[in-house]
Amino acid sequence: TSFCAAFAGVNMIYGSGMLELGMTFSLEQMVIDNDIIRMERKSMEGIPVNDETLAVEATKEIGVGNDFIAHPSTMENIDFASDPVVFDRLMLGDWRNNGYKDSAEVAHEIVEDVLKNHTVAPVPEDIMAEWKKITEKADQAYLKKAAAEENE
């Protein structure tokens, strides 16, 4: 449904990583969902129409109605529309030679790598100071409102 929503002009997608209506959360599902969202955003950029994307030279070379799958231009441009990280676009034989990993296995490997190796850059002090000001202002407004309601 989010793919259809993207083409309808919706620019907010939520629920990444959720399973069972949000009762369960999966880091692997979040990685898979992120890949899908990246592909949706890429499709929203539009598709350029030119001789290369229309495969004009390949069509002249191969001929209409013939097999384009094995042509080098097909593999050269296969990731043009999107460049997935989780979803494998290898030919079946190559996929088998690479260990038969399905998208859930690839997502799990990404999760393990992120948990082991990712470091979060600290928030710059000037931005943190602004956040603290905003938080303090919100806290004061809340306390003032709560006190007024208590006195009513």
Side-chain angles (χ1 to χ4, degrees), residues 2 12-26 29-34 37:
S2 58
M12 184 180 99
I13 300 171
Y14 75 96
S16 183
M18 285 190 204
L19 301 172
E20 301 181 86
L21 299 172
M23 299 299 291
T24 305
F25 183 83
S26 165
Q29 184 64 52
M30 187 168 72
V31 169
I32 292 168
D33 291 345
N34 184 60
I37 292 165

Side-chain angles (χ1 to χ4, degrees), residues 16 43 47 62 81 87 89 98 105 110-111 121 130 133 137:
S16 183
S43 70
I47 300 169
I62 297 165
F87 300 105
R89 290 188 173 149
N98 280 346
E105 291 173 288
I110 292 169
V111 167
E130 284 298 314
K133 286 181 193 175
K137 184 177 176 181

Side-chain angles (χ1 to χ4, degrees), residues 67-95:
D67 182 10
F68 288 83
I69 296 296
H71 193 273
S73 67
T74 302
M75 290 310 291
E76 289 167 12
N77 293 306
I78 197 162
D79 288 332
F80 180 77
S82 65
D83 190 15
V85 175
V86 176
F87 300 105
D88 197 331
R89 290 188 173 149
L90 292 174
M91 300 301 284
L92 182 60
D94 293 333
W95 176 71

Side-chain angles (χ1 to χ4, degrees), residues 2 8 10 12 26-27 33 35 44-45 47-48 53 68 70 77-78 81 85 87 94 96 103 116 120-121 129 142 152:
S2 58
V10 175
M12 184 180 99
S26 165
L27 294 175
D33 291 345
D35 219 24
M44 290 175 68
E45 292 174 6
I47 300 169
T53 60
F68 288 83
N77 293 306
I78 197 162
V85 175
F87 300 105
D94 293 333
R96 285 179 176 156
S103 57
K116 181 179 178 183
V120 178
Y142 173 78
E152 289 178 1

Side-chain angles (χ1 to χ4, degrees), residues 27-29 31 106-116:
L27 294 175
E28 288 79 7
Q29 184 64 52
V31 169
V106 174
H108 183 71
E109 289 175 358
I110 292 169
V111 167
E112 285 183 333
D113 180 62
V114 168
L115 291 174
K116 181 179 178 183

